[in-house]
Amino acid sequence: MAERSVLVTGGSGGLGGAVVAAFVETGWRVVVPERKARPGPEPAEDGLVRVVADLSDPAGAARAVEAAAGEPAAPLRAVVNLVGGYASGGLVHETPVEDFERMLTVNLRPTYLVTQAALPHLVAAGGGAVVCVSSRAAVSPFPGAAGYVTSKAAVLAFANAVAVEYRSRDVRCNTVLPSVIDTPANRAAQPNADHSRWVAPDEIAPVIRFLASAESAPTSGATVPVYGRA
């Protein structure tokens, strides 16, 4: 039986599947929030719990965290914030403020709400870890995506703030910065790119698992590049 739980947001995405598998295979109880219930009866999966929750809503984020913290034998010890999205656009003067703000809603708001709800549980459990996913674009921007770049930079800044505020309470917070992740969706969007230079989900997942585990106990406030060969 699992002795610790991890909440993985975005666990059904291209990176999320690899991250969930990495935790399950090392004995974690993994809770994955999903926006909609899956059709039909869902077969039980050892170590995996799915919960329907809208993470852009405070009540939904709280519901997901309660599910993750609801097993006394496996207290919540880690949160992995993967949920997010990408949208390109024009240059700044061509981008409506609504499109700019939408990226903050997609990338920053769920990370904030889930982390905010989880922190008291992590403290109560005696400590734990939060892992956030930003982007290489946060530190090396490219044109035509100011909303995405800003939102991912905000995720990085937020994670660093959490690391400072909760250091004395034994809660760590670190951030990984992928380049382009080699997922089917990204291949479809960029069919002519050199996919061999992209970073695979299976390469990122062990890094995230390490940052969530006791093996990385001395590390907080770190920004970890996971660029592959890009």
Side-chain angles (χ1 to χ4, degrees):
M1 180 175 291
E3 298 179 351
R4 53 191 175 172
S5 295
V6 56
L7 176 62
V8 180
T9 76
S12 300
L15 173 59
V19 171
V20 168
F23 280 101
V24 168
E25 72 183 13
T26 49
W28 289 72
R29 173 178 174 265
V30 183
V31 177
V32 178
E34 297 181 334
R35 185 178 286 270
K36 297 180 180 179
R38 298 189 173 202
E42 187 72 18
E45 299 176 71
D46 288 343
L48 180 59
V49 177
R50 300 186 188 275
V51 57
V52 177
D54 178 0
L55 301 183
S56 66
D57 175 66
R63 182 164 57 253
V65 169
E66 290 298 329
E71 177 52 67
L76 180 63
R77 299 307 298 266
V79 174
V80 178
N81 290 303
L82 303 181
V83 70
Y86 171 79
S88 60
L91 300 179
V92 170
H93 78 280
E94 301 167 328
T95 302
V97 68
E98 293 81 7
D99 292 351
F100 180 84
E101 291 177 336
R102 190 173 299 115
M103 283 289 91
L104 294 172
T105 300
V106 168
N107 289 314
L108 180 61
R109 184 179 175 91
T111 293
Y112 179 85
L113 290 175
V114 170
T115 303
Q116 180 189 49
L119 283 167
H121 294 281
L122 294 173
V123 171
V130 177
V131 183
C132 297
V133 175
S134 178
S135 168
R136 185 179 188 173
V139 296
S140 182
F142 54 87
Y148 175 77
V149 168
T150 302
S151 66
K152 286 300 190 177
V155 167
L156 177 56
F158 171 67
N160 289 340
V162 171
V164 170
E165 289 189 3
Y166 290 86
R167 181 180 297 143
S168 64
R169 301 187 183 190
D170 295 324
V171 176
R172 303 175 293 107
C173 190
N174 297 290
T175 311
V176 295
L177 275 66
S179 57
V180 182
I181 303 175
D182 191 359
T183 65
N186 284 338
R187 285 196 175 219
Q190 302 181 55
N192 298 320
D194 182 358
H195 303 145
S196 69
R197 299 180 64 85
W198 293 358
V199 59
D202 288 344
E203 295 176 303
I204 302 173
V207 178
I208 291 175
R209 183 180 59 193
F210 169 73
L211 291 173
S213 70
E215 285 82 355
S216 62
T219 304
S220 191
T223 301
V224 183
V226 281
Y227 296 164
R229 295 176 55 241

